[in-house]
Each structure stands twice: as C-alpha cells, then as structure tokens.
Amino acid sequence: MSRLLLLFAALMTGLPALAAPSQMTLVYALYRNGQKLGEVTDTYTRQDRRYTLTSETQASGPLKLLWPGSIWLESTGTVTAQGLKPAQFRHARSDAPEKLAVARLDWAQHSIAYSYKGRSWQVTDLKAGAQDQLSQLYQFMFAPRLPTDYAVQVVSGRDLNDYRYARQPGGTLDTPLGALDTLRYQRIVSDPEDKRITVWIAPARGNLPVRIQVVEDGVTVEQRLTRARVEG
C-alpha cells in the first residue's frame, strides 16, 4: 500500500491480538487526485506468534505503460498482547532494485539499523509501541483498545517519525462487505504543508481498514477496499 501511513472508547472495541485473523488478503483500488491509478494487494499471515504482512502496488490500464514496475512493502515480526511488534521492514521497487530500503528493529537496544543504497546507519530512539509504515495500518485490528487520541512512532525504510492522530466518526461507507459504519483516524498537523493522513476503519469487521488517504504536495492518493478475504 505503498507510501502511505497511519495508526491506531475507552471501550474494548478491538479484537484481542491473538483472536484476530490468521490470514487476510485485501485488495484496494488506488486513486491519484480522483483518477484510478492501479491496485494495492495486502496479504497477512500468522504462524503461531510470528506474522508476515506484505503490500504490492501496481499500476493498471494505460498507466501501466508509464509505470511498469511495482512497489513492495514487507513487515515481519511478532503478535503480542499489545498487537503487532515489527522486527523488520523492507521497501522495494521492482524497477529499481538498488533502492531497496531495510529497517531492522532491535527492541532490546531500542535502536533501528537502516540500510539503503550501500549505506548503513543506526538510530537509537526506538520507543515502545512503534510501528512500521505498513504494520501501522493493521495495528487497529490487533491492539486491545482503540484510543481517541493516538501518538505513535512510524518506522519507514529510511527514517523514523512521530505522528499523532485523533479519532472521529467516519460515516457509513459502501464496501465489498456491505455498508459499514466507520471510525476515522486523522493525523494532527501544525503546518499546512505537512503530510495529511486519514484512515477509515470498520469496528463491525474487527477494525479492518477500508479506506486510506494521504495528501501531500497538492496530491491526494487514496486506497478504497474492493475485495477482502479474512480467515482465522
């Protein structure tokens, strides 16, 4: 689900972490400024307490000639009582293998080891509860609670950012699973030039993310759920 980001009353509206699905395949239509760009396919599998979460973005139609490659994200780690706990995040492009970015999270040392384009460096400010660029979107389904005001560190393939989100009613959205009432988490920004991120989740479907939107540099990129297979 490429380049996108996001996050996670007081009532226990989420599923307990280990009662959450053991396998999911979700397909989202991808739009750029309202124009269909392609598809995002996210896949989640869990074996015991280990999970693998992948996301592949591909252009479709005439745009495939301009963008023949794909973007691949992968998050691996463990499922805990607090939800997903990533151990490694990878961001790759099929048309530019030299741009593979990897972040390895060392929870014992509270550090992240990065590698990108032959460079390696380390950041030593990893906080409890941090998520990576992909796992943050699905933490809603695994965390024991849905907070009203949420601060989280987000690890990408090359940096570490602090985000804060507020929860609001998201209205009813038409989805492949029917019309669903949603909650909306929106990033709180102080600078109008900052990236704005919004995610809509469906509490009646275990807090499944059904729509994701990112606005940056005058461009709006949005994912809308079109197919879902959830098992477990």
Side-chain angles (χ1 to χ4, degrees):
M1 174 217 81
S2 18
R3 312 187 185 187
L4 298 170
L5 315 151
L6 301 209
L7 328 123
F8 301 115
L11 298 176
M12 298 284 285
T13 53
L15 288 172
L18 296 180
S22 61
Q23 188 167 351
M24 297 186 293
T25 301
L26 308 173
V27 179
Y28 297 86
L30 181 65
Y31 296 85
R32 183 184 187 276
N33 291 340
Q35 181 180 8
K36 179 74 177 293
L37 177 62
E39 279 191 344
V40 180
T41 301
D42 290 356
T43 302
Y44 168 87
T45 57
R46 188 189 79 223
Q47 185 172 14
D48 296 325
R49 291 180 178 268
R50 301 289 301 176
Y51 80 84
T52 299
L53 182 57
T54 65
S55 181
E56 184 176 19
T57 301
Q58 289 186 314
S60 61
L63 290 175
K64 194 170 182 64
L65 297 175
L66 301 176
W67 187 27
S70 63
I71 295 174
W72 177 267
L73 308 182
E74 182 185 69
S75 171
T76 56
T78 57
V79 183
T80 73
Q82 290 73 44
L84 300 177
K85 188 175 183 178
Q88 179 174 273
F89 175 73
R90 293 163 56 92
H91 184 161
R93 287 177 50 183
S94 64
D95 59 339
E98 74 281 1
K99 292 185 177 181
L100 171 66
V102 181
R104 296 179 176 86
L105 290 70
D106 186 332
W107 293 98
Q109 299 298 321
H110 307 289
S111 65
I112 307 168
Y114 288 100
S115 61
Y116 178 67
K117 283 188 170 182
R119 293 177 53 235
S120 298
W121 67 98
Q122 193 171 62
V123 173
T124 57
D125 191 29
L126 181 64
K127 298 176 183 176
Q131 297 295 318
D132 61 47
Q133 187 178 344
L134 182 57
S135 70
Q136 64 177 336
L137 300 172
Y138 292 93
Q139 172 66 353
F140 297 107
M141 300 186 71
F142 296 87
R145 296 175 184 267
L146 287 179
T148 56
D149 191 351
Y150 178 57
V152 65
Q153 277 189 323
V154 178
V155 179
S156 74
R158 288 182 280 170
D159 56 21
L160 177 66
N161 294 291
D162 292 307
Y163 289 92
R164 186 180 169 200
Y165 288 77
R167 190 184 76 191
Q168 300 171 324
T172 301
L173 299 181
D174 290 327
T175 78
L177 304 174
L180 296 176
D181 292 333
T182 66
L183 294 174
R184 182 179 69 191
Y185 279 85
Q186 189 166 34
R187 185 188 172 198
I188 300 170
V189 298
S190 55
D191 186 334
E193 298 300 315
D194 286 344
K195 181 185 294 185
R196 287 178 285 157
I197 306 166
T198 308
V199 60
W200 288 259
I201 64 172
R205 292 289 180 166
N207 302 321
L208 183 76
V210 295
R211 182 176 294 179
I212 303 157
Q213 184 186 85
V214 175
V215 181
E216 186 176 24
D217 297 331
V219 175
T220 299
V221 177
E222 186 167 290
Q223 294 179 210
R224 303 173 192 169
L225 186 67
T226 59
R227 299 194 299 278
R229 181 170 58 84
V230 182
E231 303 175 6

